[in-house]
Amino acid sequence: MKKLHHSKKQKIRGWKRRKRSIQLWRQQMLELDMETVRSEDFDYAKLWIYPFYSISPIDPPHWFQRLLLGEMIDVYAHWQKQMELEREPFYLKIWLYEPNFILSQIVVAYRSRLHFYDEHFQPAPTASPFPFAATGDLAEKLSKLDWQLCIQEELYWSNELQDHIDKGLRTEAEVQRLIDLAYATETMQYGGEEQTVYKVRIGDVWLGTWKTD
């Protein structure tokens, strides 16, 4: 998995330099590390672009996101060609987060991890418009992929929520509001005990897959 490393002391002045960071990301991510893929059966490319991807992620403006998405699709297309040469089934998708765009990534898996991500996201029950208009240079690139709308969720365990109340980290009212926000609940065994998991929708994830003829 490749990362872009930046000094915390580095200062970014102006959008020209930030736009150049997109090209740097493309150059470093374009060639899929097949040695890693063959040894680990998966790999990914996150948007390691300073100052947006950090301990406290910041979403860049929409025009900057469009530039990044265009380069993501180019990288994805190159990975598609590389994986096709393996002549084995593989999983390759863009995970496009909305509104948390900077968390977006390209994910590839095969062999032992071929179906690892099959149930990673739940399909959204209702339709929403795609967050990027198919206009300008992005139009042709977007047309090469099919996009499935899924749910970005955050999980809250009943025992952890009770622990937060006991320690004064959350009030009972705050916990109840979280429970009320849950779009689904599930009972699971955890630590030898039966626990309730509350699934709260915090955004959307669009899964982009290369169109087949």
Side-chain angles (χ1 to χ4, degrees):
M1 302 91 179
K2 305 170 186 174
K3 300 181 181 180
L4 300 186
H5 299 282
H6 297 270
S7 167
K8 291 183 179 179
K9 296 181 180 179
Q10 182 182 11
K11 294 182 180 179
I12 307 296
R13 297 184 177 89
W15 286 103
K16 286 185 178 180
R17 183 173 296 185
R18 297 186 186 189
K19 287 172 67 175
R20 286 197 295 270
S21 69
I22 298 178
Q23 291 305 311
L24 176 61
W25 179 88
R26 173 197 169 98
Q27 292 168 14
Q28 295 196 1
M29 300 299 174
L30 185 62
E31 198 69 26
L32 179 58
D33 184 350
M34 294 309 302
E35 182 177 344
T36 295
V37 174
R38 291 172 184 142
S39 63
E40 303 294 335
D41 292 350
F42 82 106
D43 204 352
Y44 58 82
K46 293 187 177 183
L47 300 177
W48 306 100
I49 296 179
Y50 180 84
F52 307 110
Y53 196 101
S54 60
I55 294 175
S56 300
I58 304 169
D59 265 344
H62 192 73
W63 67 265
F64 194 87
Q65 294 179 25
R66 286 180 63 87
L67 295 177
L68 259 175
L69 178 55
E71 300 301 342
M72 286 184 74
I73 295 174
D74 286 348
V75 171
Y76 177 100
H78 192 70
W79 286 20
Q80 176 78 19
K81 292 178 181 178
Q82 288 182 263
M83 290 304 299
E84 287 174 351
L85 294 175
E86 295 292 288
R87 300 190 181 279
E88 296 185 49
F90 60 90
Y91 172 104
L92 179 60
K93 294 185 187 294
I94 293 178
W95 297 358
L96 182 64
Y97 286 82
E98 169 65 27
N100 306 302
F101 174 85
I102 202 62
L103 301 181
S104 302
Q105 56 187 290
I106 308 169
V107 179
V108 61
Y110 76 154
R111 295 179 180 169
S112 68
R113 296 177 68 99
L114 176 61
H115 298 292
F116 186 82
Y117 300 105
D118 286 356
E119 298 181 7
H120 194 69
F121 299 106
Q122 295 297 315
T126 56
S128 294
F130 189 71
F132 292 89
T135 57
D137 295 338
L138 195 56
E140 182 179 355
K141 294 181 180 183
L142 286 174
S143 69
K144 296 177 180 178
L145 291 93
D146 288 318
W147 296 93
Q148 178 190 11
L149 176 60
C150 294
I151 295 171
Q152 181 190 5
E153 64 184 21
E154 194 161 328
L155 305 182
Y156 295 91
W157 295 77
S158 56
N159 62 330
E160 292 179 350
L161 291 175
Q162 184 59 53
D163 186 56
H164 287 177
I165 293 175
D166 295 340
K167 293 179 178 179
L169 301 176
R170 298 180 193 268
T171 65
E172 291 188 8
E174 289 172 337
V175 168
Q176 187 58 53
R177 281 197 292 271
L178 278 176
I179 292 173
D180 292 341
L181 286 173
Y183 76 90
T185 60
E186 187 175 343
T187 301
M188 301 177 66
Q189 289 291 326
Y190 182 77
E193 299 180 4
E194 191 174 85
Q195 303 289 339
T196 300
V197 181
Y198 301 97
K199 301 181 178 182
V200 177
R201 185 172 184 172
I202 60 173
D204 296 332
V205 185
W206 292 85
L207 304 184
T209 308
W210 199 252
K211 289 182 178 178
T212 56
D213 295 331

